Amino acid sequence: QVRLVESGGGLVRAGGSLRLSCAVSGHTFNNYGMGWFRQAPEKERKFVASISWGGGTPNYVDSVKGRFTISRDDARNTVYLQMNSLKHEDTAVYYCARSKTYSGPTAVGWYDYWGQGTQVTVSS
């Protein structure tokens, strides 16, 4: 059984930082790209960042470039999202997901397993 568990969310002031973690169990972790998505209330779930197996070619939505960094530790089966210079518009539930391939696509439909989400709230 594949399971993804996010952690690290919380309440932070604008300009602050958080680091999200995604612990993966139930598979070897190797050979799969990983992604982070977020969903605000009443809004569509949207792509934030992704990273391929091996850690190459990280990808980001334009609004977080230069502020967020995705990384992975394959030995620990863990994916991270370091979020700096947080803005109010970053407020959402953040989800970790496993890609169906070795790459990190931007579309929700390319991911087959999802975590339960972790809330990030940024005060304005």
Side-chain angles (χ1 to χ4, degrees):
Q1 180 181 23
V2 177
R3 188 184 182 196
L4 287 68
V5 180
E6 303 96 334
S7 62
L11 175 64
V12 65
R13 297 174 67 94
S17 298
L18 288 172
R19 188 179 76 158
L20 306 184
S21 298
C22 173
V24 182
S25 62
H27 70 114
T28 63
F29 197 70
N30 291 343
N31 302 319
Y32 294 100
M34 301 294 297
W36 287 97
F37 294 76
R38 63 188 180 188
Q39 186 169 20
E42 310 296 328
K43 303 292 185 179
E44 181 183 30
R45 188 172 300 183
K46 294 185 176 181
F47 171 81
V48 177
S50 65
I51 189 167
S52 63
W53 175 61
T57 61
N59 195 16
Y60 304 92
V61 67
D62 286 345
S63 61
V64 309
K65 288 181 178 178
R67 300 189 297 119
F68 291 11
T69 302
I70 187 171
S71 62
R72 62 189 294 163
D73 186 339
D74 291 345
R76 296 180 180 272
N77 286 355
T78 303
V79 182
Y80 304 96
L81 185 68
Q82 178 66 47
M83 305 185 295
N84 298 327
S85 301
L86 283 162
K87 304 175 181 179
H88 178 67
E89 51 263 45
D90 295 319
T91 296
V93 177
Y94 283 70
Y95 296 90
C96 178
R98 189 191 79 172
S99 172
K100 296 178 181 179
T101 72
Y102 67 89
S103 64
T106 61
V108 168
W110 283 102
Y111 293 81
D112 54 3
Y113 291 98
W114 297 79
Q116 83 288 351
T118 185
Q119 177 71 48
V120 172
T121 303
V122 184
S123 61
S124 58

